[in-house]
Amino acid sequence: MIILSIDTSCDETAAAVTSGRKILSNVIYSQVLLHKKWGGVVPSLAKRAHEERIDSVINRALKSANINIKKIDAIAVTQGPGLAIALGVGINKAMELALQYKKPLLGINHLEGHLYSAFAQNKKGNPKKNIAFPYLGMIISGGHTEFVLWKNHLEYELLGMTLDDAAGEALDKAGKLLGLGYPAGSVVERLAEQVGNVDEYKFPRPMIRSGDLNFSFAGLKTSFYYFLKTISEEEKNKRISYLASAFQEAVFDTILIKTEKAMKQTGISNLVVGGGVTANKYLRKKMRALTRKYKGAVHFPSMKVLTGDNAAMIGVAAWKKAERGLFSGTVDRQPRMQISSLAIEEKML
Ligand code: KG4
Ligand code: ZN
């Protein structure tokens, strides 16, 4: 089954062509430069930019996969979570194409996409990685920080999530306070690396004794903000790498402590982790060490382009739904969509 997939959930206009787990093309138009000067994503600007780019991004995805839209078997689109007006652009386009070319439609959860991206393969079917459920799934991105018990294809149970800011959002906000621009995750990584990822300023590890698997990063950002007020601008600038490193350490250490708890609670030591923050090499190293300690393994997206938002992951997440014929007549946008097992699905065919 060949699937054309679309994601416009945030600030990337993305389309891809996939066949099962294989990515035949993956086109991403990033709006990051558009939002940079505002220090975050502006929904109305995102919507307009999606509208301007969506046709060309889809056409490029089809062209680079060398396939005519008439030969596509189904169209998959991100239904949520995400920015409502941004999601709407991709959904309207997917419904329009489905009607015009008489193709079945699939509404996909963006978070499922982030999980499936660890199993996405290139055209040749590499990496081979077998899928062996169950997994402890994790999404660590700019919008989400969640634990999911991934029992099987299409079977998920949400175990915990952030109650306020996501991990990537916390890194972005701390980066902003340090004047590092937006988004700041990769800049923080680089600065921390320069000083050997040391933890010379101790910031809190929020919720590590909460007894559940939830996160909360808003307070950490606040304590960083107040700490910066106690030092001079000169010290801040001189010690910027150390400050970035300590903040990153607080975020990652919290994630690692909670992950170990989740592993003990579920008895699962095999992890699947996706989302923009998993581009971070230091985080990957820490997670590998943790799973090794429990004789498990951790699976990350194999290509950097699959860590952040993209449409190939939506196509791969649509794979099993399409195989089972779980199509929808229409797709409603669901900005606050949670990850959950298949509810009652409408069968179109
Ligand atoms: O998955 P993503 O592209 O968008 C969402 O769905 O949220 O994630 C974006 C987030 C941003 O917060 C960005 O700062 C963070 O991922 N990020 C990183 C790195 N690259 C991107 N965080 C830490 N280290 C990185 N190398
Ligand atoms: Zn995302």
Side-chain angles (χ1 to χ4, degrees), residues 168-186:
E169 191 179 355
L171 292 168
D172 290 340
K173 285 179 174 171
K176 198 171 174 179
L177 293 171
L178 293 175
L180 303 179
Y182 171 86
S186 60

Side-chain angles (χ1 to χ4, degrees), residues 9 110 114 141 144 275 308-309 313:
S9 59
H110 180 84
H114 275 306
S141 72
H144 297 88
D309 289 348
M313 69 180 194

Side-chain angles (χ1 to χ4, degrees), residues 70-274:
K70 292 182 184 143
K71 294 270 174 356
I72 292 285
D73 297 300
I75 299 175
V77 64
T78 299
Q79 187 167 14
L83 301 170
I85 56 173
L87 287 165
V89 179
I91 292 173
N92 288 345
K93 182 54 69 181
M95 296 213 305
E96 180 191 312
L97 293 174
L99 196 71
Q100 187 179 349
Y101 295 98
K102 299 189 176 48
K103 303 292 177 191
L105 195 61
L106 296 138
I108 302 296
N109 185 315
H110 180 84
L111 302 176
E112 277 186 70
H114 275 306
L115 290 180
Y116 270 100
S117 48
F119 296 121
Q121 299 172 324
N122 65 14
K123 269 181 216 165
K124 293 184 180 141
N126 291 319
K128 298 271 180 264
K129 256 188 230 176
N130 281 330
I131 305 183
F133 294 108
Y135 289 107
L136 175 61
M138 285 188 79
I139 299 127
I140 316 174
S141 72
H144 297 88
T145 309
E146 304 198 350
F147 285 116
V148 178
L149 176 57
W150 194 6
K151 299 178 209 167
N152 208 331
H153 289 297
L154 316 179
E155 285 180 42
Y156 311 91
E157 189 186 322
L158 181 63
L159 299 177
M161 62 193 286
T162 182
L163 305 177
D164 40 57
D165 294 354
E169 191 179 355
L171 292 168
D172 290 340
K173 285 179 174 171
K176 198 171 174 179
L177 293 171
L178 293 175
L180 303 179
Y182 171 86
S186 60
V187 187
V188 170
E189 172 177 27
R190 198 158 19 94
L191 293 179
E193 207 175 74
Q194 276 169 13
V195 292
N197 293 301
V198 287
D199 189 17
E200 290 191 2
Y201 299 91
K202 284 275 178 210
F203 296 111
R205 273 61 172 158
M207 307 258 300
I208 55 172
R209 273 178 278 277
S210 66
D212 56 28
L213 296 176
N214 292 329
F215 294 95
S216 164
F217 290 111
L220 175 59
K221 176 211 63 194
T222 310
S223 84
F224 191 62
Y225 171 80
Y226 283 111
F227 179 77
L228 291 183
K229 282 189 169 303
T230 68
I231 61 173
S232 67
E233 197 64 21
E234 195 196 345
E235 186 182 353
K236 183 176 124 181
N237 294 333
K238 224 166 65 196
R239 303 277 298 164
I240 198 159
S241 302
Y242 290 92
L243 289 160
S245 182
F247 188 85
Q248 179 183 267
E249 194 64 30
V251 173
F252 290 173
D253 202 22
T254 306
I255 292 175
L256 267 286
I257 292 168
K258 286 282 190 180
T259 306
E260 186 161 11
K261 281 199 170 150
M263 289 166 76
K264 283 186 181 156
Q265 188 177 308
T266 57
I268 300 173
S269 49
N270 288 317
L271 267 60
V272 169
V273 194

Side-chain angles (χ1 to χ4, degrees), residues 16 46 82 181 247 278 307 312 335 349:
F247 188 85
T278 66
T307 58
L349 297 181

